[in-house]
Amino acid sequence: MRRTFMRRWVLAVTAGETVGFIIPAAVGGALTFAAAPASVVYPLMIAAGACEGILLGLGQSIGFGSFGIPRAAWITATGGGAAVAWSIGMLPSTIGGVDFASPSALALIVVGAAVLLASIPTLQWLVLRRVVRRASWWIPVNAGAWAVGILWTFAPSPFIDENTALPALLGSYLVAGMLMAVTVGALTGFAARHVVESTHYSPAQGTDADKSIQQRPTP
């Protein structure tokens, strides 16, 4: 059963994130070739990133199987977290006239990177805590997985420039996105399996034993 779950989780997350990543990759490539201004690029990339998050959330909800995750809420939270992540990630290329080597800028970059990595799992945690007790560990585990997986998106940079053909550009980022998806899926699989194997009731509801304990008079 554990192997079945891990296989389903990794395949579903990889498929959802890979297909989702095609959207911002295609939008970004088209905007680059169109030499679109930052005022156009920024909101469109956030919207594309939200679409990526929606498909990732769908893949994860499929990976959870019959476990009682509220699918609509999970997908919405993942899409919202992705939009936050993209809004932060696009800032360095959008804001001009900033010395990113200055101490204050470096401090902001560190804080921004932490928020970026935690954005998706934090919003997912708000949904997860309804059905799993003590689910806050989901945030650091997933943030760490994204910290590793997102490194793949930098891999094509040395091999592409403004003269790279659009098919080659999209192809390179598609491969990078797939590798990122596999990495995140594999690294989060054990956490997702733990979610399914842990308590299946809301902390607010509790078990009958919990309720009986809570109803006892306090000494």
Side-chain angles (χ1 to χ4, degrees):
M1 291 296 292
R2 289 186 171 186
R3 291 182 178 179
T4 300
F5 177 86
M6 290 293 292
R7 184 164 52 248
R8 182 181 65 237
W9 175 266
V10 174
L11 288 175
V13 172
T14 298
E17 173 58 20
T18 300
V19 176
F21 190 73
I22 292 175
I23 299 175
V27 171
L31 292 173
T32 299
F33 275 86
S39 59
V40 174
V41 173
Y42 189 70
L44 287 182
M45 290 304 298
I46 294 175
C51 293
E52 175 192 1
I54 288 172
L55 289 173
L56 169 62
L58 176 60
Q60 289 178 327
S61 67
I62 294 172
F64 274 123
S66 59
F67 180 67
I69 287 288
R71 176 167 292 186
W74 184 268
I75 293 174
T76 301
T78 310
V84 173
W86 276 91
S87 67
I88 296 172
M90 290 296 298
L91 283 177
S93 60
T94 304
I95 301 175
V98 178
D99 180 13
F100 290 103
S102 66
S104 57
L106 290 175
L108 288 175
I109 290 174
V110 171
V111 173
V115 175
L116 185 154
L117 293 172
S119 57
I120 291 177
T122 298
L123 291 185
Q124 289 178 334
W125 166 74
L126 295 176
V127 178
L128 192 61
R129 66 176 183 171
R130 303 177 190 173
V131 291
V132 177
R133 299 180 66 183
R134 304 181 184 92
S136 57
W137 52 265
W138 179 262
I139 299 174
V141 169
N142 278 261
W146 280 108
V148 176
I150 205 171
L151 295 176
W152 286 111
T153 62
F154 299 104
S157 299
F159 310 103
I160 60 174
D161 54 31
E162 62 276 4
N163 297 319
T164 305
L166 183 58
L169 179 69
L170 294 178
S172 61
Y173 276 106
L174 175 60
V175 173
M178 184 179 300
L179 292 172
M180 176 179 67
V182 172
T183 301
V184 173
L187 293 179
T188 58
F190 295 100
R193 190 182 70 188
H194 178 72
V195 166
V196 174
E197 293 176 346
S198 57
T199 308
H200 286 205
Y201 63 90
S202 169
Q205 296 174 346
T207 61
D208 292 339
D210 291 336
K211 291 178 180 179
S212 63
I213 292 174
Q214 293 173 0
Q215 291 173 356
R216 294 176 183 174
T218 303

